[in-house]
Amino acid sequence: RTDMADIKHWNLSETGMAFDPQTGESFQLNPVAKAIIERLRRGMTDEQIAAEVARKFAVEPERAMTDLLVFKAEIDIIRSAA
């Protein structure tokens, strides 16, 4: 499960570079991933995030929700490997 407290401490650049100061790991985020992280950090619900991502990137809401859930699962995998 994605730990929001950890994500809130990540440093996020305008270009999409994310740095986790707790693990020392850096990640290059694509524009969709950056938008998702920004909204997760604001405490938005999955439904709110998917709706905004769908509007911003002109994709179907179902596709945005799938991308969101896959991305959150990938974060969980990365965090558990750290």
Side-chain angles (χ1 to χ4, degrees):
R1 188 174 184 289
T2 304
D3 187 344
M4 294 312 309
D6 288 344
I7 291 172
K8 287 183 179 183
H9 294 290
W10 287 8
N11 297 320
L12 187 60
S13 75
E14 289 296 317
T15 60
M17 180 62 75
F19 175 71
D20 181 348
Q22 294 178 342
T23 65
E25 293 181 293
S26 295
F27 311 94
Q28 181 61 51
L29 305 173
N30 67 32
V32 175
K34 182 175 180 279
I36 290 171
I37 290 289
E38 290 170 341
R39 285 153 181 80
L40 285 170
R41 291 171 67 171
R42 287 190 228 148
M44 296 175 75
T45 67
D46 288 353
E47 291 76 16
Q48 291 170 324
I49 294 169
E52 283 201 11
V53 167
R55 279 192 299 276
K56 182 173 180 153
F57 295 98
V59 297
E60 293 297 319
E62 297 80 15
R63 169 69 188 269
M65 180 60 80
T66 298
D67 289 349
L68 169 62
L69 296 176
V70 168
F71 181 70
K72 287 175 74 174
E74 289 173 353
I75 291 173
D76 291 341
I77 290 167
I78 291 167
R79 300 291 298 153
S80 67

